[in-house]
Amino acid sequence: MNLEHLNALKQLLSTPRKIAIIPHKNPDGDAIGSTLALWHYVINKGHNASIVSPNDAPKFLKWMPGADKILNFEKKNTQAKSCIGAADVIFTLDFNHLGRVGQMSELLEESSATFVMVDHHQEPSDYAKIMYSDVTMSSTCEMVYHLIGLLGDVDQITTEMANCIYTGIMTDTGSFKFAATTSNTHRVVADLMDRGAEGTEIHHRIYDTNSPSRLHLLGCALKNMVILEEYHTAYITLSQEELDKYNYQKGDTEGFVNYGLTLDGINFAVIFIENKEEGILKISFRSVGDFSVNDFARKHFNGGGHTNAAGGKSEDSIEDTIKYFTSLLPQYQNQLQS
C-alpha cells in the first residue's frame, strides 16, 4: 500500500465512521475471513460497522466469530440496503470489480461513500479512492493482517480476528501448498497462532465436516473426469441433474477442481458446473507452473483471477462449452507442456 493511500486511510479512520464491509458474491473462506477480521478490528476501534454479503456463505464457514452478524443481501434486503445507504466508508474485500457483487453492484455504484479496496487479484478497476492491491499476496486475509500492521495496530489482533485471518489464508493457499504461500505467509500464520488462532481446529471445521451427499457428489465428479494427456489437461463436468441427485448445498463443490492437478503430468485442471437458476455454467480453472489461467479465463470465458487460479462462465450448454474449450487447447499445447 503506498504511503499516500495509507495516510488517507489513517485520516479516514481517525474519527468514528459508518462502515459497510462487502465480500464478493458466493463468498469463500478468504472473503468471509477477511471481512470478519476487518469488522472486528473497526468495531473495536469505535466505528459503526456492518458486513453486507451479496448472498449466503457455505455452512462450513458459519462457525467463524461474528458470522451470525453478516447481513445476507438476499434474505435481509431492506436492512442491507439501509446499511449501504448510510455508510460513509465502504470496504470491498477479495474482489476488485463491482461486477463481482451481483445484484448489489448498482447500489454500490450509486453510493457517495469513500471506497477502500483490499484485494490480491489481477487488473483492479478504479472505483476505489483508497487501494491496497497486491497480486503477490497469498490471500486477502494476509493483506488484512498487514493492513492492521500498517495502521500500527498489530498488537490489537484478538483471538477472534486471528482465527478469521488464519481461516482465509489456509483456504486460499490450499492449506499452504499453493505457490503464493511465501515464507512471510508462514511468519504471519505463526504470529496468528501466537495470538490464539487454533490451526488444527480450524482445519477440522473446514475440511472434516462433510455430509455423505457431498462425498457422493465428489465421487460423481471424479467419475466424470476426462483426461487429455496430449494437452496435460483434465476437466470435470457436473450437470444440474447430478447436483440435484446428490442434494447439492452451497460450497459442496469447493476444491473439486484441484483433484485434476493431483494427477501426474497434469498442468491444467478445469471444472464446469451447471447452474440452471442463473442460466450459466460456472467454471473454475487451476494450473501449475507458468500457464496463466487468469489470461485464459479473461480471453475466452469472461472471467479472471490469479495466474494459477481463476474463474469464468459460459451461457452455452455443457456440451457446446466443452466443445469450445477443447477446441482452444491446441493453441496452448506448447505452454501446457512445462
Side-chain angles (χ1 to χ4, degrees), residues 81 87 112 126 170 175 245 247 272 286 293 302:
K81 284 182 175 179
S112 59
D126 60 357
M170 182 189 73
S175 295
K245 178 180 178 181
N247 191 32
F272 302 88
R286 298 292 186 270
V293 292
N302 194 30

Side-chain angles (χ1 to χ4, degrees), residues 136-148:
T136 69
M137 286 283 178
S138 71
S139 55
T140 301
C141 271
E142 185 176 347
M143 296 181 72
V144 167
Y145 173 91
H146 291 302
L147 180 63
I148 293 170

Side-chain angles (χ1 to χ4, degrees), residues 23-24 26-36 93-94 140-141 168:
H24 55 74
N26 300 320
D28 55 9
D30 193 26
I32 295 298
S34 59
T35 52
L36 280 171
L93 271 64
D94 203 36
T140 301
C141 271

Side-chain angles (χ1 to χ4, degrees), residues 96-97 99-100 121-124 280-286 292-307 309-315 324 328:
N96 60 21
H97 191 285
R100 292 284 280 116
H121 296 89
Q122 296 179 0
E123 300 183 40
I280 61 172
L281 281 182
K282 294 184 176 182
I283 312 171
S284 292
F285 304 95
R286 298 292 186 270
S292 175
V293 292
N294 172 62
D295 293 343
F296 186 89
R298 286 181 183 275
K299 185 173 182 180
H300 303 295
F301 290 98
N302 194 30
H306 306 287
T307 299
K313 63 183 179 180
S314 169
E315 296 181 356
Y324 173 60
L328 298 170

Side-chain angles (χ1 to χ4, degrees), residues 5 24 71 95 104:
H5 284 212
H24 55 74
L71 294 174
F95 67 96
M104 282 172 51

Side-chain angles (χ1 to χ4, degrees), residues 6-260:
L6 177 60
N7 287 334
L9 182 58
K10 287 180 177 178
Q11 180 63 34
L12 191 66
L13 298 179
S14 63
T15 57
R17 300 288 184 178
K18 293 180 180 178
I19 298 174
I21 304 173
I22 315 293
H24 55 74
K25 186 179 179 182
N26 300 320
D28 55 9
D30 193 26
I32 295 298
S34 59
T35 52
L36 280 171
L38 182 65
W39 177 77
H40 282 290
Y41 172 72
V42 295
I43 287 287
N44 291 345
K45 297 293 286 185
H47 300 283
N48 180 354
S50 299
I51 299 172
V52 181
S53 179
N55 58 355
D56 205 7
K59 183 179 178 181
F60 60 79
L61 295 175
K62 292 188 176 181
W63 61 269
M64 296 174 68
D68 59 327
K69 300 294 194 299
I70 296 174
L71 294 174
N72 181 340
F73 189 79
E74 291 182 339
K75 294 181 178 179
K76 296 185 177 180
N77 187 261
T78 301
Q79 191 177 354
K81 284 182 175 179
S82 177
C83 284
I84 293 173
D88 46 31
V89 179
I90 295 178
F91 282 87
T92 63
L93 271 64
D94 203 36
F95 67 96
N96 60 21
H97 191 285
L98 294 182
R100 292 284 280 116
V101 296
Q103 60 182 330
M104 282 172 51
S105 60
E106 185 175 347
L107 195 61
L108 294 182
E109 287 167 359
E110 293 173 351
S111 173
S112 59
T114 300
F115 279 79
V116 183
M117 175 201 298
V118 183
D119 180 67
H120 66 136
H121 296 89
Q122 296 179 0
E123 300 183 40
S125 56
D126 60 357
Y127 64 85
K129 182 178 180 180
I130 298 172
M131 291 178 58
Y132 181 20
S133 175
D134 190 341
V135 299
T136 69
M137 286 283 178
S138 71
S139 55
T140 301
C141 271
E142 185 176 347
M143 296 181 72
V144 167
Y145 173 91
H146 291 302
L147 180 63
I148 293 170
L150 290 169
L151 294 170
D153 289 332
V154 72
D155 287 339
Q156 295 184 28
I157 294 177
T158 63
T159 296
E160 290 79 13
M161 293 160 64
N163 277 320
C164 293
I165 296 171
Y166 186 104
T167 299
I169 296 175
M170 182 189 73
T171 54
D172 239 38
T173 60
S175 295
F176 313 106
K177 73 177 182 180
F178 296 156
T181 309
T182 64
S183 58
N184 197 46
T185 305
H186 285 292
R187 280 188 280 271
V188 169
V189 166
D191 187 55
L192 293 172
M193 294 179 74
D194 288 341
R195 297 179 187 280
E198 301 172 294
T200 301
E201 180 64 20
I202 292 170
H203 193 280
H204 168 73
R205 288 176 177 269
I206 297 295
Y207 297 116
D208 301 333
T209 55
N210 290 313
S211 64
S213 59
R214 181 182 187 269
L215 294 186
H216 291 147
L217 181 62
L218 173 60
C220 176
L222 295 178
K223 186 177 180 180
N224 291 349
M225 183 182 290
V226 175
I227 300 168
L228 305 173
E229 291 186 5
E230 63 181 313
Y231 301 116
H232 301 272
T233 295
Y235 69 84
I236 291 169
T237 60
L238 282 172
S239 68
Q240 186 68 61
E241 182 180 358
E242 289 167 328
L243 295 172
D244 293 342
K245 178 180 178 181
Y246 295 107
N247 191 32
Y248 168 78
Q249 302 295 311
K250 183 180 288 290
D252 276 355
T253 58
E254 186 79 23
F256 283 13
V257 64
N258 296 318
Y259 280 89

